């Protein structure tokens, strides 16, 4: 699944400090292809196994030795050569890391790093590493487009703002799988098969995607796990000269940050984990959580929509459940007869792309008006351009038909981190009633999306584990009560596992909370980053 987060408008239209770029439904706990690339960019439902066994549920991620192995000394001791990189105020460099930590002498991988130095005034506090989620989101892109200019001025004054694209992502030797045309075909594949023929077509699409990744990135696919990326982060910490890691991770970035804490508890500085994932859950449980989360988000959207004069899902007095039935009926119409979308490449709006477009808008209530307009045009005027645009932004497809490697990296990480949620189509079919009960609108598609890792060319190396990080400094976990991609119970779960965590709650809609309009949330996080003061126990903001 996919959990995604990328720059988007603030909740109240007001950013943390300076304007943030227009939101493009990106990926960061994104629902994977939405439906195809895994339960998508949510967080990685595509990766985990069928269920969490008792032994796995009780196991905890073990810390690595506190001393640096001699075989890694040349990596930890490297010096970065900083250069200008085309974005005013930012510097870029390349860091080397071992492709395989078990065999450091077998070869290197090159990781893209960027920073913006602390602006002052005030004493410099070190480096603040940021990650927007995914897996597959470009941290360097996020830093240069938003965090390095949009984080609070007082934070940027005291910290060097830093990002590294995780291995296999964007500028860091990206995983490659399909061409743009092949991705167009893939994203239009029916993810709610009506018969055995359509089921076979969906399975073939998953197999072709997996085979493409295996052919183009055969060695890299074995070494893009979250554990390996967390080890890269520790190397960067040392190379930057910081004794402790200070970090803000959103969505999947919380799993990455928590994994770091579990591996290196004595090197934890100030960690903010916003839109948290629960690392103890299997892929099946993660997918179920996201399915329920997107239903909760849709209910909020529907209740808001039917109270407005321009709602295409029903007028005043229409229940949210009926609005959902109306949307599902529209999806079924598109399944039978796609509509024009004004696309230069001839794509029409079918059920798969329309569903992805709607899911993309569930990440932020600031996108609800755009969704109402897109649904109105599609349902009443047979114009699918608006929903196609939302879908394309989610997949990071540009006007020339090129895709960023987001979906490729998303599947690669998810399928390596956890055993597949389902291994055969008949298992999905058996689970459909429970998924459709959790979400009448999205349940069927999300269940089938969880099948994609079943055909992955590389066996998973991870498993669900509790992360306790005993001995770590205070960690701040942030959860939003109606977050669709990282449901609030996940934040509660992570906070209960981490031995030094405090849970900060945002009572509201949307994915993640920092910098989206709540002074209560922002001031609490800022105070923690600047002074090390965690939130008071049980603190809730709105």
């Amino acid at each position: 699944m996919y959990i995604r987060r990328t720059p988007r408008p603030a909740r109240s239209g007001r950013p943390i400090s300076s304007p943030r770029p227009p939101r493009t439904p990106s990926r960061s706990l994104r629902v994977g292809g939405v439906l195809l690339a895994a339960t998508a960019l949510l967080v990685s439902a595509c990766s985990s196994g069928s269920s969490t066994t008792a032994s796995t549920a009780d196991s905890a991620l073990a810390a690595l030795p506190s001393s640096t192995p001699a075989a890694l000394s040349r990596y930890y001791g490297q010096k970065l050569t900083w250069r200008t990189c085309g974005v005013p105020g930012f510097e870029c460099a390349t860091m080397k890391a071992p492709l395989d930590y078990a065999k450091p002498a077998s070869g290197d991988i090159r990781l893209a790093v960027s920073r913006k130095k602390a602006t002052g005034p005030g004493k410099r506090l070190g480096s603040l590493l940021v990650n927007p989620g995914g897996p597959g989101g470009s941290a360097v892109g996020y830093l240069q487009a938003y965090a390095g200019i949009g984080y609070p001025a007082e934070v940027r004054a005291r910290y060097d703002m830093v990002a590294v694209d995780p291995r296999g992502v964007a500028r860091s030797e990206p995983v490659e799988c399909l061409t743009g045309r092949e991705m167009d075909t893939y994203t239009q594949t029916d993810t709610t098969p009506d018969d055995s023929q359509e089921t076979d077509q969906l399975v073939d699409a998953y197999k072709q995607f997996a085979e493409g990744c295996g052919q183009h990135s055969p060695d890299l696919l074995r070494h893009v796990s979250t554990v390996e990326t967390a080890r890269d982060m520790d190397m960067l910490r040392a190379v930057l000269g910081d004794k402790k890691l200070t970090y803000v991770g959103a969505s999947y970035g919380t799993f990455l940050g928590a994994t770091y804490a579990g591996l290196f508890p004595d090197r934890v500085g100030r960690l903010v984990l916003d839109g948290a994932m629960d690392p103890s859950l299997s892929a099946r449980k993660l997918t179920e959580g996201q399915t329920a989360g997107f239903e909760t988000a849709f209910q909020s959207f529907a209740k808001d929509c039917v109270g407005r004069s321009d709602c295409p899902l029903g007028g005043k007095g229409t229940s949210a459940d009926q609005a959902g039935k109306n949307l599902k009926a529209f999806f079924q119409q598109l399944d039978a007869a796609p509509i024009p979308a004004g696309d230069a490449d001839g794509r029409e709006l079918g059920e798969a792309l329309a569903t992805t477009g709607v899911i993309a808008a569930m990440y932020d209530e600031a996108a609800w008006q755009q969704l109402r307009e897109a649904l109105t045009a599609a349902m009443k005027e047979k114009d699918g351009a608006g929903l196609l645009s939302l879908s394309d932004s989610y997949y990071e497809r540009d006007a020339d038909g090129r895709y960023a490697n987001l979906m490729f990296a998303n599947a690669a990480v998810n399928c390596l981190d956890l055993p597949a949620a389902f291994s055969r189509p008949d298992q999905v079919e058996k689970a459909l009633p429970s998924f459709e009960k959790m979400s009448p609108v999205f349940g069927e598609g999300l269940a089938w999306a969880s099948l994609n890792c079943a055909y992955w060319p590389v066996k998973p190396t991870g498993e669900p584990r509790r992360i306790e990080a005993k001995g770590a400094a205070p960690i701040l976990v942030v959860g939003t009560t109606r977050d669709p991609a990282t449901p609030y119970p996940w934040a509660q779960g992570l906070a209960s596992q981490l031995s030094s965590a405090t849970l900060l709650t945002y009572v509201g809609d949307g994915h993640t909370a920092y910098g989206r309009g709540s002074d209560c949330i922002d001031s609490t996080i800022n105070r923690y980053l600047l002074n090390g003061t965690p939130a008071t126990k049980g603190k809730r903001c709105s």
Side-chain angles (χ1 to χ4, degrees):
M1 63 196 203
Y2 176 75
I3 289 192
R4 116 197 196 182
R5 161 176 184 162
T6 50
R8 56 166 94 58
R11 194 173 260 114
S12 64
R14 178 170 56 79
I16 297 183
S17 175
S18 60
R20 80 165 69 176
R23 175 186 183 269
T24 35
S26 72
R27 39 171 186 228
S28 182
L29 245 203
R30 227 176 181 139
V31 175
V34 159
L35 297 173
L36 263 175
T39 279
L41 285 197
L42 282 186
V43 119
S44 166
C46 88
S47 355
S48 29
S50 53
S51 63
T52 303
T53 63
S55 60
T56 298
D58 293 336
S59 66
L61 182 66
L64 292 173
S66 57
S67 60
T68 301
L72 298 179
S73 60
R74 70 183 181 94
Y75 294 105
Y76 272 77
Q78 66 186 294
K79 303 295 182 182
L80 298 184
T81 301
W82 295 99
R83 62 188 184 279
T84 58
C85 47
V87 182
F90 292 87
E91 299 175 303
C92 292
T94 300
M95 183 179 76
K96 290 183 179 180
L99 176 65
D100 184 350
Y101 275 92
K103 300 176 181 179
S106 63
D108 299 339
I109 186 170
R110 297 178 299 278
L111 306 177
V113 182
S114 183
R115 75 176 177 187
K116 186 177 184 184
K117 289 186 176 181
T119 58
K123 181 181 178 182
R124 179 182 174 278
L125 295 176
S127 305
L128 173 57
L129 190 66
V130 297
N131 183 283
S138 172
V140 170
Y142 174 73
L143 174 74
Q144 295 177 352
Y146 171 60
I149 56 176
Y151 266 36
E154 59 267 36
V155 172
R156 292 182 285 115
R158 306 286 299 280
Y159 284 102
D160 290 346
M161 301 294 295
V162 180
V164 55
D165 276 348
R167 48 178 61 209
V169 174
R171 301 164 178 83
S172 293
E173 300 196 21
V175 171
E176 299 293 344
C177 299
L178 301 178
T179 66
R181 288 296 181 121
E182 289 169 337
M183 274 297 290
D184 280 347
T185 299
Y186 180 73
T187 58
Q188 294 176 79
T189 303
D190 187 354
T191 53
T192 57
D194 299 318
D195 52 38
S196 59
Q197 181 179 359
E198 291 188 348
T199 298
D200 290 343
Q201 291 172 348
L202 179 58
V203 168
D204 286 343
Y206 287 140
K207 288 180 177 179
Q208 290 169 12
F209 184 94
E211 289 169 0
C213 297
Q215 290 172 3
H216 293 289
S217 305
D219 297 325
L220 185 59
L221 288 188
R222 294 176 171 80
H223 299 290
V224 292
S225 70
T226 297
V227 166
E228 289 164 308
T229 296
R231 298 189 69 171
D232 295 339
M233 286 168 50
D234 189 59
M235 187 179 300
L236 178 58
R237 171 203 59 78
V239 170
L240 293 172
D242 295 312
K243 293 183 178 180
K244 306 278 186 178
L245 178 75
T246 299
Y247 172 82
V248 175
S251 195
Y252 161 79
T254 67
F255 179 41
L256 181 56
T259 299
Y260 180 90
L263 294 174
F264 307 103
D266 59 325
R267 299 172 193 171
V268 168
R270 299 167 188 176
L271 265 59
V272 177
L273 307 179
D274 182 16
M277 291 179 59
D278 184 341
S280 71
L281 298 178
S282 68
R284 168 73 179 267
K285 291 296 184 181
L286 288 170
T287 306
E288 290 175 346
Q290 284 190 328
T291 300
F294 274 91
E295 181 63 23
T296 297
F298 175 76
Q299 289 283 320
S300 290
F301 164 74
K303 290 175 183 177
D304 177 81
C305 183
V306 298
R308 298 174 182 271
S309 60
D310 63 344
C311 181
L313 300 178
K316 291 184 178 180
T318 303
S319 68
D321 287 342
Q322 183 58 52
K325 291 178 182 178
N326 294 341
L327 179 59
K328 185 66 175 179
F330 175 60
F331 286 160
Q332 291 170 342
Q333 292 173 16
L334 293 177
D335 186 28
I339 61 176
D343 180 57
D345 294 312
R347 293 176 302 156
E348 294 182 311
L349 184 76
E351 180 183 15
L353 292 175
T355 305
T356 300
V358 173
I359 283 180
M362 292 298 99
Y363 283 85
D364 196 327
E365 67 272 29
W368 288 359
Q369 178 179 345
Q370 181 183 359
L371 178 59
R372 289 197 308 273
E373 293 171 353
L375 283 172
T376 297
M379 297 175 74
K380 297 184 177 182
E381 302 166 18
K382 302 300 180 183
D383 178 2
L387 284 174
L388 182 63
S389 177
L390 282 168
S391 177
D392 282 350
S393 63
Y394 186 87
Y395 284 119
E396 294 193 359
R397 180 192 191 272
D398 66 21
D400 294 324
R402 294 178 301 230
Y403 288 77
N405 95 306
L406 169 65
M407 299 315 303
F408 308 147
N410 182 258
V413 176
N414 286 334
C415 296
L416 195 60
D417 274 352
L418 292 171
F422 300 106
S423 58
R424 302 188 311 271
D426 64 295
Q427 293 175 340
V428 179
E429 291 171 350
K430 184 178 180 180
L432 284 178
S434 65
F435 274 84
E436 291 180 294
K437 183 177 181 180
M438 285 183 279
S439 176
V441 178
F442 306 117
E444 182 182 6
L446 293 176
W448 281 108
S450 300
L451 184 63
N452 71 324
C453 285
Y455 309 103
W456 203 243
V458 176
K459 292 183 179 180
T461 57
E463 62 181 354
R465 286 187 182 276
R466 291 173 53 82
I467 298 180
E468 299 172 356
K470 293 181 179 179
I475 296 171
L476 184 59
V477 175
V478 186
T480 297
T481 56
R482 294 187 294 278
D483 190 320
T486 49
Y488 183 65
W490 291 4
Q492 293 175 304
L494 179 61
S496 70
Q497 293 167 43
L498 291 169
S499 61
S500 62
T502 298
L503 176 62
L504 172 64
T505 299
Y506 177 74
V507 181
D509 297 292
H511 181 41
T512 72
Y514 188 38
R516 299 187 60 223
S518 169
D519 288 336
C520 175
I521 290 290
D522 294 350
S523 62
T524 302
I525 293 176
N526 293 344
R527 184 165 54 250
Y528 170 69
L529 288 174
L530 295 172
N531 304 322
T533 306
T536 56
K537 185 177 181 180
K539 184 165 186 176
R540 296 170 71 86
C541 297
S542 58

